[in-house]
Every structure is written in C-alpha cells, then in structure tokens.
Amino acid sequence: MSISTHENDRIHEQDTEMVRIAVVGAGVVGLTSANLLQEAIPGASVTIIADRFGQDTVSDVAAGLYRPGLQFQGPNREITEKWLKDSYDYYKKILNSEDADEAGVKRAPGYMFSSNQPKIVKNFLMEPVVEEYRPCTQKELDQYKMKYGSYIVTILTECRRFLPYMTRKFQEQGGQIIQRYLNSLEELAGDYDIVCNCCGFGAKDLVGDNSVTPMRGQVFKVRAPWITHFYYVDYDTYILPGFDSITLGGTRQFDSYNTEVCKHDAASIWERCTNFLPSLQKAEVLKEAVGLRPYRGIVRVEKELMKFDNGKTLKVVHNYGHGGYGVMAAPGTSIYAVSLVKEMLGQQSKL
Ligand SMILES: Cc1cc2nc3c(=O)[nH]c(=O)nc-3n(C[C@H](O)[C@H](O)[C@H](O)COP(=O)(O)OP(=O)(O)OC[C@H]3O[C@@H](n4cnc5c(N)ncnc54)[C@H](O)[C@@H]3O)c2cc1C
C-alpha cells in the first residue's frame, strides 16, 4: 500500500469539474465507504485521510462475525433492517465470488447458547437475514451441556484480510491515501467538496461527540484449526473461527479507556473458553489484543453542513458509532452514507 504523508500530494490534477471527496478513517467503515463512493460517483477524486491503518485500527481486533446485537440501532427500525440486509447481501456477493479468500469472507456455521436465558438465543434482527437460523435439537444441547440454543449459518469477515483487499481495490480505482491526524474537520474545508466522516471512536475528539463511548474488548487470537464452528455462550464467552486465527473473547467494558491487555481479563477469557471447549487448551496463542468499540446509542449516519468561525463551510456525511457491530454493518451504513453524499452534492440518489 502506498501512503502519502505530504500535503501537496493530496490532490493530483485539480480539475474544476471533478468532485473532490475526502473519507476520514481507514478502518472497515472508511474503506468500505471509500470503495462504494468510487463506484457510485465515477470520476470523483476520493482520498482517504487517517492516522492509523491496518493492524493499528480497532477493526483489526474484531472477529467480524455477522451477528447484530439487539441494541444495534439506526435512526428507525426500517433503516436499521435495511442496513443489516444490505450488509449481508454485500458480503454474500463477495462470498460467492472468486475474491472470497483474499477478502477474508467465509461462511460461518455455529451456535448461540445460553445456560439460563431462552431469549438470548433468539435474534429478530438476524433470523430473517442469514442463511439458516433454527432451534438446537436436544442432542445438540446435550452434547454441549446447554439449556437453550440456536444453530446458525452466517458470514464472517476477517479484517486482517478484508482491509488490505479493500485498500488494493481502492488504489486500483485511483484512490489516494494520506496518513495524517486531523484535529478538526475544518482543516479539510476548501480542499474538498464533501467529507465522509468514518472516524469511529475518534469522533469523540474530531467532532466533539460525547455520546460516543468506548466499549473495551479484549481477546485472544489462537490457532486451533480443528475448531470449525463458532460458539457464543451466554453472550459474554465467544469462540469465533476466522481464516488465519480463532478469536476467543471476551469483555464488554463500558466507558473503559484501557488499551493494555489485562491479565485478569485474559485469565477469565481463557478459563471460560477452555471450560466450554477443553480442546482449546492445546491451542497456540498467536496474540492478545484490546480494542475500544465505538459505542453510540444510535449509529450516526447523517448529513451536516458544518460552519466554522472563519466563515468557511464544509459538507459532511457522518458514518460512525457502530459499537461492536462495525464489521458486519459497514456495507449497509456505507451504502446509506453514499446516498446522503449524493444528495448533498445535488445528485440523484436511490435509497
Ligand atoms: C474485541 C472486539 C471484537 C469485535 N467483534 C466484532 C464482530 O465480531 N463483528 C463486528 O461486526 N464487529 C466487531 N467488533 C466491532 C468493530 O471492530 C468496530 O465496530 C469497527 O471496527 C469500527 O470500525 P471503524 O472503521 O468505525 O473504526 P476503526 O477501525 O477504529 O477506524 C477508525 C479510523 O479513523 C481514523 N481516525 C480517527 N480519528 C481520526 C483523526 N482525528 N484524524 C485522522 N484519522 C482519524 C483512525 O486512524 C482509523 O483509521 C469488535 C470489536 C472489538 C474490540
């Protein structure tokens, strides 16, 4: 990946007719939005601006399972469901293409179990969308010593592969990438016609959005190729096999800013996962990682005409605050964000 750090490289040929779009953020949301903008507005100059890339993003920590939590919310139920359906369809198209391996998109069969709560093995947002969602048989429940369960076939997108794949596609379409930390979106006013703001947890500082709260997550990435199914147990213990590793988790610590690995969390995750699947005792630990999920009550995908003290204005479409669901929901919210960009540019948009 070639990244420019020079301000002057930012905009190649200045063409007065060319729409200049900046996408802030190079996590799964920024890269997905940037690629979709290139497709939707042919001839536009699209530039990604971000201070962190690849393995330094929160997206890299995620397992990437398509499993919306019931608290995942857009502005209303209809839009939320559309985001979820659009996302699944987007990944399904990749899954059924020759790009699937390179993009890190795989079919994911597995189980959602609970030892005491029948309601948490049901998911009204997921059931109508995924390939299969059925109650577990008594034999399956007995096998895993669980009281309630659902068998599900969904999709998993591993960002360790997906981010490089999307970066390659973006650059092949002429997209530019700049490594830069922004103190304010005002720094982009005048240089771009519109900004798509996909800065994740960075929104707290970049646009002063205090409703964005860190939801700390700690995981192990292990190698255990004999495990082929995913498992969610009482929501807080999960075993999610990707391509190159299996993610073992987890924690969901609201308002915690601690990005260091905590040995107590590690011990708890390890004990819970190996109690559930004893064969994991033999797994090779590849890495321990922590990420701050960008939690926001309602994921923010909306237009804003920003006005600054110096009289400058900037058209912005926000696309952030996906919490623990940014990988699975990135395509849906980005398709929606692209339609808002087109609206702000006075172009026809079809939602
Ligand atoms: C342990 C864990 C497990 C998870 N599991 C799943 C899962 O199974 N499925 C799922 O869908 N999701 C999962 N998630 C959630 C998912 O990781 C996030 O929702 C998603 O990564 C958010 O993506 P993003 O692109 O918004 O943010 P990020 O990946 O954090 O990217 C933000 C980008 O914005 C840039 N940026 C921010 N501020 C500035 C600034 N001021 N100037 C310049 N650049 C800036 C950053 O440099 C970065 O490039 C998990 C998260 C964790 C922590």
Side-chain angles (χ1 to χ4, degrees), residues 58 201 213-217 238 251-253 291-295 323-324:
V58 177
F201 183 60
T213 309
M215 179 89 79
R216 180 179 179 278
Y238 52 83
T251 65
R252 281 191 204 93
Q253 292 150 346
L292 303 183
R293 302 175 182 93
Y295 175 79

Side-chain angles (χ1 to χ4, degrees), residues 23-32 48-54 56-68 91 155-157 159 163 178-185 187 197-207 215-221 232 238 240 247-252 289-295 319-330:
V23 175
V24 178
V28 65
V29 178
L31 279 164
T32 307
I48 293 177
I49 300 169
D51 65 332
R52 283 175 289 113
F53 295 86
D56 295 329
T57 62
V58 177
S59 301
D60 184 71
V61 180
L65 191 72
Y66 183 98
R67 182 201 68 90
Y91 286 128
I155 290 176
L156 182 141
T157 302
C159 280
L163 300 188
I178 295 172
Q179 184 163 26
R180 171 179 167 191
Y181 179 80
L182 297 168
N183 291 298
S184 159
L185 289 181
E187 294 169 34
N197 177 27
C198 312
C199 64
F201 183 60
K204 208 174 184 66
D205 295 322
L206 187 61
V207 291
M215 179 89 79
R216 180 179 179 278
Q218 179 167 327
V219 292
F220 282 93
K221 300 278 180 180
Y232 257 93
Y238 52 83
L240 307 174
T247 305
L248 308 184
T251 65
R252 281 191 204 93
V290 172
L292 303 183
R293 302 175 182 93
Y295 175 79
N319 186 8
Y320 66 79
H322 297 66
Y325 308 104
V327 181
M328 52 140 273

